Amino acid sequence: MEGTSMTNQEILKHIDHTQLKAFATWQDIQKLCDEAAQYHTASVCVPPCYIKRIHDAYGGRVNICTVIGFPLGYSVTSAKVEEARAALADGANEIDMVINISDAKNGRFEAILEEIKAVKEAVGDHILKVIIETCYLTEQEKIKLCEVVTASGADYIKTSTGFGTGGATLEDIRLFKAHIGPHVKMKAAGGVKNAEDLKAFLAEGCERIGTSSAVTLLTGGQAGSY
């Protein structure tokens, strides 16, 4: 993707406009959704507790993405599956799940594969993005998780929650590209601080970027925080 030659309007079509703070108010969520509707972002990424309210208030004007097992990833598989089902029933169209990072550190990649498969089965034709939280992983663990996500049938591999010790890096995106299958797309999240970062991640092949800052950055304001 030629991110450096994209217009701001084109860039915004790849943004998951995000508000996931624990203390996000309905006014915060309304602002997010109004901006998403105005600037045609790919989605709004919001806490599960707001899905139904957004769906009822905005209908099809915004594409609703939410998170499960978030942000730490260590809830049991059955809980993640139920979270995903409830989110879809409330009106979400896309699910961003966090893997069990402890399983990755313990080398239990088969367990991670089975969990992603179980969530994907619950999600069905809806988009499933898998957050591997790169800041906690070695290069070999990242490579193995690229293989796991590819084998799972998930739609995206995603770098980060934005709540860990670090966010997306171009180096991780390049590593992903070398090790994911052709059907797996990439999402970068966290660490996107300016318009140049947005363009750079898109130029490296990211299909989505999760950030709260893009609308502000591309419409003349200062960076927000994810």
Side-chain angles (χ1 to χ4, degrees), residues 125-170:
D125 292 336
H126 294 275
I127 289 174
L128 176 64
K129 311 187 196 92
V130 179
I131 307 170
I132 68 168
E133 198 69 295
T134 50
C135 61
Y136 298 134
L137 304 174
T138 66
E139 181 172 315
Q140 286 305 309
E141 288 164 347
K142 294 171 193 176
I143 290 170
K144 186 61 180 176
L145 285 165
C146 285
E147 297 168 357
V148 167
V149 173
T150 298
S152 72
D155 303 282
Y156 281 76
I157 187 168
K158 177 179 171 182
T159 60
S160 317
T161 62
F163 287 77
T165 56
T169 67
L170 293 174

Short mmCIF file of all heavy atoms in Angstrom, two decimals, residues 125-170:
data_model
loop_
_atom_site.label_atom_id
_atom_site.label_comp_id
_atom_site.label_asym_id
_atom_site.label_seq_id
_atom_site.Cartn_x
_atom_site.Cartn_y
_atom_site.Cartn_z
N ASP A 125 -18.68 -15.16 10.00
CA ASP A 125 -18.24 -14.32 8.88
C ASP A 125 -17.82 -12.92 9.30
O ASP A 125 -17.31 -12.16 8.47
CB ASP A 125 -19.36 -14.21 7.83
CG ASP A 125 -19.62 -15.54 7.13
OD1 ASP A 125 -18.70 -16.38 7.10
OD2 ASP A 125 -20.74 -15.74 6.63
N HIS A 126 -18.02 -12.56 10.53
CA HIS A 126 -17.57 -11.26 11.02
C HIS A 126 -16.05 -11.25 11.14
O HIS A 126 -15.41 -12.30 11.29
CB HIS A 126 -18.20 -10.93 12.36
CG HIS A 126 -19.69 -10.75 12.30
ND1 HIS A 126 -20.27 -9.55 11.95
CD2 HIS A 126 -20.70 -11.62 12.52
CE1 HIS A 126 -21.58 -9.68 11.98
NE2 HIS A 126 -21.87 -10.93 12.32
N ILE A 127 -15.47 -10.08 11.10
CA ILE A 127 -14.01 -9.94 11.15
C ILE A 127 -13.49 -10.22 12.56
O ILE A 127 -14.02 -9.68 13.54
CB ILE A 127 -13.58 -8.53 10.69
CG1 ILE A 127 -13.80 -8.40 9.18
CG2 ILE A 127 -12.13 -8.25 11.05
CD1 ILE A 127 -13.55 -7.01 8.65
N LEU A 128 -12.45 -11.05 12.64
CA LEU A 128 -11.76 -11.32 13.89
C LEU A 128 -10.31 -10.88 13.76
O LEU A 128 -9.58 -11.33 12.88
CB LEU A 128 -11.80 -12.80 14.25
CG LEU A 128 -11.03 -13.20 15.50
CD1 LEU A 128 -11.62 -12.53 16.76
CD2 LEU A 128 -10.99 -14.72 15.68
N LYS A 129 -9.90 -9.98 14.66
CA LYS A 129 -8.51 -9.53 14.73
C LYS A 129 -7.90 -10.10 16.01
O LYS A 129 -8.53 -10.07 17.07
CB LYS A 129 -8.42 -8.00 14.73
CG LYS A 129 -9.24 -7.32 13.63
CD LYS A 129 -8.95 -5.83 13.59
CE LYS A 129 -10.00 -5.07 12.81
NZ LYS A 129 -11.11 -4.57 13.65
N VAL A 130 -6.68 -10.59 15.90
CA VAL A 130 -6.02 -11.26 17.03
C VAL A 130 -4.85 -10.40 17.52
O VAL A 130 -3.89 -10.18 16.79
CB VAL A 130 -5.52 -12.66 16.62
CG1 VAL A 130 -4.82 -13.32 17.80
CG2 VAL A 130 -6.68 -13.53 16.14
N ILE A 131 -4.96 -9.92 18.75
CA ILE A 131 -3.93 -9.09 19.35
C ILE A 131 -2.91 -9.99 20.05
O ILE A 131 -3.26 -10.73 20.97
CB ILE A 131 -4.53 -8.12 20.38
CG1 ILE A 131 -5.68 -7.30 19.78
CG2 ILE A 131 -3.44 -7.20 20.94
CD1 ILE A 131 -6.46 -6.50 20.81
N ILE A 132 -1.64 -9.90 19.63
CA ILE A 132 -0.63 -10.75 20.24
C ILE A 132 0.23 -10.02 21.26
O ILE A 132 1.02 -10.66 21.95
CB ILE A 132 0.24 -11.44 19.18
CG1 ILE A 132 1.13 -10.44 18.43
CG2 ILE A 132 -0.63 -12.24 18.20
CD1 ILE A 132 2.20 -11.12 17.58
N GLU A 133 0.11 -8.73 21.37
CA GLU A 133 0.82 -7.88 22.35
C GLU A 133 2.34 -8.09 22.22
O GLU A 133 3.01 -8.68 23.07
CB GLU A 133 0.33 -8.18 23.76
CG GLU A 133 0.67 -7.10 24.78
CD GLU A 133 -0.10 -5.79 24.58
OE1 GLU A 133 0.11 -5.13 23.55
OE2 GLU A 133 -0.93 -5.43 25.45
N THR A 134 2.88 -7.56 21.13
CA THR A 134 4.27 -7.78 20.76
C THR A 134 5.29 -7.33 21.80
O THR A 134 6.39 -7.88 21.87
CB THR A 134 4.58 -7.06 19.44
OG1 THR A 134 4.12 -5.70 19.52
CG2 THR A 134 3.89 -7.73 18.27
N CYS A 135 4.94 -6.35 22.61
CA CYS A 135 5.92 -5.80 23.57
C CYS A 135 6.38 -6.83 24.59
O CYS A 135 7.43 -6.65 25.22
CB CYS A 135 5.34 -4.58 24.27
SG CYS A 135 3.85 -4.88 25.24
N TYR A 136 5.61 -7.91 24.77
CA TYR A 136 5.97 -8.92 25.76
C TYR A 136 6.63 -10.15 25.13
O TYR A 136 6.92 -11.12 25.85
CB TYR A 136 4.71 -9.38 26.51
CG TYR A 136 4.03 -8.29 27.29
CD1 TYR A 136 2.64 -8.13 27.21
CD2 TYR A 136 4.74 -7.41 28.10
CE1 TYR A 136 2.00 -7.12 27.93
CE2 TYR A 136 4.10 -6.40 28.82
CZ TYR A 136 2.73 -6.27 28.72
OH TYR A 136 2.09 -5.28 29.43
N LEU A 137 6.86 -10.14 23.83
CA LEU A 137 7.26 -11.35 23.11
C LEU A 137 8.66 -11.26 22.54
O LEU A 137 9.12 -10.19 22.15
CB LEU A 137 6.27 -11.62 21.97
CG LEU A 137 4.79 -11.72 22.35
CD1 LEU A 137 3.94 -11.83 21.09
CD2 LEU A 137 4.55 -12.90 23.28
N THR A 138 9.30 -12.42 22.44
CA THR A 138 10.56 -12.51 21.72
C THR A 138 10.26 -12.59 20.22
O THR A 138 9.13 -12.82 19.80
CB THR A 138 11.34 -13.76 22.12
OG1 THR A 138 10.60 -14.92 21.67
CG2 THR A 138 11.55 -13.84 23.62
N GLU A 139 11.30 -12.42 19.41
CA GLU A 139 11.10 -12.52 17.97
C GLU A 139 10.58 -13.89 17.58
O GLU A 139 9.68 -14.01 16.74
CB GLU A 139 12.41 -12.23 17.23
CG GLU A 139 12.26 -12.29 15.72
CD GLU A 139 13.49 -11.82 14.98
OE1 GLU A 139 14.05 -10.77 15.36
OE2 GLU A 139 13.90 -12.51 14.02
N GLN A 140 11.12 -14.95 18.17
CA GLN A 140 10.66 -16.29 17.84
C GLN A 140 9.21 -16.52 18.26
O GLN A 140 8.46 -17.21 17.56
CB GLN A 140 11.58 -17.34 18.48
CG GLN A 140 12.93 -17.46 17.79
CD GLN A 140 12.79 -17.74 16.30
OE1 GLN A 140 12.08 -18.65 15.88
NE2 GLN A 140 13.46 -16.91 15.49
N GLU A 141 8.80 -15.95 19.38
CA GLU A 141 7.40 -16.05 19.80
C GLU A 141 6.48 -15.31 18.83
O GLU A 141 5.39 -15.80 18.49
CB GLU A 141 7.23 -15.51 21.21
CG GLU A 141 7.83 -16.42 22.28
CD GLU A 141 8.02 -15.75 23.62
OE1 GLU A 141 7.92 -14.50 23.71
OE2 GLU A 141 8.28 -16.47 24.61
N LYS A 142 6.93 -14.16 18.35
CA LYS A 142 6.14 -13.41 17.36
C LYS A 142 5.99 -14.22 16.07
O LYS A 142 4.89 -14.29 15.49
CB LYS A 142 6.80 -12.07 17.05
CG LYS A 142 6.84 -11.10 18.22
CD LYS A 142 7.70 -9.88 17.87
CE LYS A 142 8.01 -9.04 19.07
NZ LYS A 142 8.93 -7.92 18.77
N ILE A 143 7.08 -14.83 15.63
CA ILE A 143 7.03 -15.64 14.41
C ILE A 143 6.08 -16.82 14.58
O ILE A 143 5.24 -17.10 13.70
CB ILE A 143 8.45 -16.12 14.03
CG1 ILE A 143 9.30 -14.95 13.56
CG2 ILE A 143 8.38 -17.21 12.94
CD1 ILE A 143 10.77 -15.28 13.39
N LYS A 144 6.17 -17.49 15.71
CA LYS A 144 5.28 -18.62 15.96
C LYS A 144 3.82 -18.17 15.99
O LYS A 144 2.93 -18.86 15.45
CB LYS A 144 5.66 -19.29 17.29
CG LYS A 144 4.88 -20.56 17.57
CD LYS A 144 5.12 -21.63 16.53
CE LYS A 144 4.32 -22.88 16.83
NZ LYS A 144 4.48 -23.89 15.74
N LEU A 145 3.56 -17.01 16.56
CA LEU A 145 2.18 -16.52 16.61
C LEU A 145 1.67 -16.09 15.24
O LEU A 145 0.48 -16.19 14.96
CB LEU A 145 2.06 -15.40 17.64
CG LEU A 145 2.09 -15.91 19.09
CD1 LEU A 145 2.32 -14.78 20.06
CD2 LEU A 145 0.79 -16.65 19.43
N CYS A 146 2.56 -15.62 14.37
CA CYS A 146 2.16 -15.37 12.99
C CYS A 146 1.64 -16.66 12.36
O CYS A 146 0.62 -16.67 11.65
CB CYS A 146 3.34 -14.84 12.18
SG CYS A 146 3.78 -13.13 12.50
N GLU A 147 2.34 -17.75 12.62
CA GLU A 147 1.94 -19.05 12.09
C GLU A 147 0.62 -19.52 12.70
O GLU A 147 -0.24 -20.06 12.00
CB GLU A 147 3.05 -20.07 12.34
CG GLU A 147 4.36 -19.73 11.63
CD GLU A 147 5.54 -20.56 12.10
OE1 GLU A 147 5.36 -21.38 13.04
OE2 GLU A 147 6.64 -20.41 11.53
N VAL A 148 0.48 -19.30 14.00
CA VAL A 148 -0.75 -19.70 14.69
C VAL A 148 -1.95 -18.93 14.16
O VAL A 148 -3.01 -19.51 13.87
CB VAL A 148 -0.59 -19.49 16.22
CG1 VAL A 148 -1.94 -19.59 16.93
CG2 VAL A 148 0.38 -20.51 16.79
N VAL A 149 -1.81 -17.61 14.05
CA VAL A 149 -2.93 -16.79 13.55
C VAL A 149 -3.29 -17.19 12.12
O VAL A 149 -4.47 -17.28 11.76
CB VAL A 149 -2.59 -15.29 13.65
CG1 VAL A 149 -3.67 -14.45 12.98
CG2 VAL A 149 -2.44 -14.87 15.11
N THR A 150 -2.29 -17.46 11.32
CA THR A 150 -2.54 -17.92 9.95
C THR A 150 -3.34 -19.21 9.95
O THR A 150 -4.31 -19.36 9.20
CB THR A 150 -1.21 -18.11 9.20
OG1 THR A 150 -0.52 -16.85 9.12
CG2 THR A 150 -1.45 -18.64 7.80
N ALA A 151 -2.95 -20.16 10.79
CA ALA A 151 -3.61 -21.46 10.83
C ALA A 151 -5.01 -21.40 11.44
O ALA A 151 -5.84 -22.28 11.19
CB ALA A 151 -2.75 -22.45 11.61
N SER A 152 -5.28 -20.35 12.21
CA SER A 152 -6.54 -20.28 12.98
C SER A 152 -7.75 -19.91 12.14
O SER A 152 -8.89 -20.13 12.56
CB SER A 152 -6.39 -19.26 14.11
OG SER A 152 -6.39 -17.92 13.58
N GLY A 153 -7.52 -19.25 11.00
CA GLY A 153 -8.63 -18.74 10.21
C GLY A 153 -9.04 -17.34 10.57
O GLY A 153 -10.00 -16.80 9.99
N ALA A 154 -8.33 -16.72 11.50
CA ALA A 154 -8.62 -15.32 11.85
C ALA A 154 -8.29 -14.41 10.67
O ALA A 154 -7.52 -14.76 9.79
CB ALA A 154 -7.83 -14.90 13.08
N ASP A 155 -8.87 -13.22 10.69
CA ASP A 155 -8.75 -12.31 9.56
C ASP A 155 -7.55 -11.37 9.66
O ASP A 155 -6.99 -10.96 8.64
CB ASP A 155 -10.03 -11.47 9.45
CG ASP A 155 -11.25 -12.35 9.30
OD1 ASP A 155 -11.49 -12.85 8.19
OD2 ASP A 155 -11.95 -12.58 10.32
N TYR A 156 -7.16 -11.03 10.88
CA TYR A 156 -6.09 -10.05 11.10
C TYR A 156 -5.17 -10.52 12.23
O TYR A 156 -5.63 -11.17 13.19
CB TYR A 156 -6.63 -8.70 11.56
CG TYR A 156 -7.20 -7.80 10.51
CD1 TYR A 156 -8.46 -8.03 9.96
CD2 TYR A 156 -6.50 -6.66 10.08
CE1 TYR A 156 -9.00 -7.18 9.01
CE2 TYR A 156 -7.04 -5.80 9.15
CZ TYR A 156 -8.28 -6.06 8.61
OH TYR A 156 -8.83 -5.21 7.68
N ILE A 157 -3.92 -10.12 12.15
CA ILE A 157 -3.03 -10.13 13.30
C ILE A 157 -2.79 -8.67 13.69
O ILE A 157 -2.60 -7.81 12.83
CB ILE A 157 -1.70 -10.86 12.99
CG1 ILE A 157 -0.85 -11.00 14.26
CG2 ILE A 157 -0.92 -10.17 11.86
CD1 ILE A 157 0.34 -11.94 14.10
N LYS A 158 -2.88 -8.41 14.98
CA LYS A 158 -2.79 -7.04 15.49
C LYS A 158 -1.65 -6.96 16.50
O LYS A 158 -1.48 -7.86 17.32
CB LYS A 158 -4.12 -6.64 16.13
CG LYS A 158 -4.16 -5.25 16.77
CD LYS A 158 -5.55 -4.98 17.34
CE LYS A 158 -5.57 -3.71 18.18
NZ LYS A 158 -6.91 -3.47 18.78
N THR A 159 -0.90 -5.88 16.45
CA THR A 159 0.32 -5.79 17.25
C THR A 159 0.06 -5.70 18.75
O THR A 159 0.72 -6.39 19.54
CB THR A 159 1.15 -4.57 16.84
OG1 THR A 159 0.37 -3.37 17.05
CG2 THR A 159 1.62 -4.66 15.41
N SER A 160 -0.88 -4.85 19.16
CA SER A 160 -0.88 -4.39 20.55
C SER A 160 -2.26 -3.99 21.02
O SER A 160 -3.15 -3.67 20.22
CB SER A 160 0.03 -3.15 20.68
OG SER A 160 1.23 -3.31 19.96
N THR A 161 -2.41 -3.97 22.34
CA THR A 161 -3.64 -3.44 22.94
C THR A 161 -3.59 -1.92 23.09
O THR A 161 -4.63 -1.27 23.19
CB THR A 161 -3.86 -4.03 24.35
OG1 THR A 161 -2.76 -3.64 25.19
CG2 THR A 161 -3.97 -5.54 24.32
N GLY A 162 -2.38 -1.37 23.17
CA GLY A 162 -2.23 0.03 23.54
C GLY A 162 -2.14 0.22 25.04
O GLY A 162 -1.94 1.33 25.52
N PHE A 163 -2.29 -0.87 25.79
CA PHE A 163 -2.23 -0.81 27.25
C PHE A 163 -1.02 -1.54 27.81
O PHE A 163 -0.85 -1.63 29.03
CB PHE A 163 -3.51 -1.41 27.86
CG PHE A 163 -4.72 -0.55 27.69
CD1 PHE A 163 -5.38 -0.48 26.48
CD2 PHE A 163 -5.20 0.21 28.75
CE1 PHE A 163 -6.50 0.33 26.31
CE2 PHE A 163 -6.33 1.01 28.59
CZ PHE A 163 -6.98 1.08 27.37
N GLY A 164 -0.16 -2.07 26.95
CA GLY A 164 1.04 -2.76 27.39
C GLY A 164 2.20 -1.80 27.55
O GLY A 164 2.03 -0.58 27.60
N THR A 165 3.40 -2.34 27.60
CA THR A 165 4.60 -1.53 27.81
C THR A 165 5.12 -0.90 26.53
O THR A 165 6.06 -0.10 26.56
CB THR A 165 5.71 -2.37 28.44
OG1 THR A 165 5.97 -3.51 27.61
CG2 THR A 165 5.31 -2.85 29.83
N GLY A 166 4.54 -1.26 25.40
CA GLY A 166 4.93 -0.69 24.12
C GLY A 166 3.87 -0.95 23.08
O GLY A 166 2.99 -1.81 23.27
N GLY A 167 3.94 -0.20 21.97
CA GLY A 167 2.96 -0.35 20.91
C GLY A 167 3.58 -0.86 19.62
O GLY A 167 4.65 -1.49 19.62
N ALA A 168 2.92 -0.57 18.53
CA ALA A 168 3.34 -1.07 17.22
C ALA A 168 4.68 -0.47 16.82
O ALA A 168 4.98 0.69 17.10
CB ALA A 168 2.29 -0.71 16.17
N THR A 169 5.47 -1.28 16.13
CA THR A 169 6.70 -0.81 15.51
C THR A 169 6.72 -1.27 14.06
O THR A 169 6.13 -2.30 13.71
CB THR A 169 7.96 -1.35 16.21
OG1 THR A 169 8.03 -2.78 16.01
CG2 THR A 169 7.95 -1.04 17.70
N LEU A 170 7.41 -0.52 13.23
CA LEU A 170 7.53 -0.93 11.83
C LEU A 170 8.29 -2.24 11.71
O LEU A 170 8.01 -3.06 10.81
CB LEU A 170 8.22 0.16 11.02
CG LEU A 170 7.44 1.46 10.87
CD1 LEU A 170 8.28 2.52 10.18
CD2 LEU A 170 6.14 1.25 10.09
#
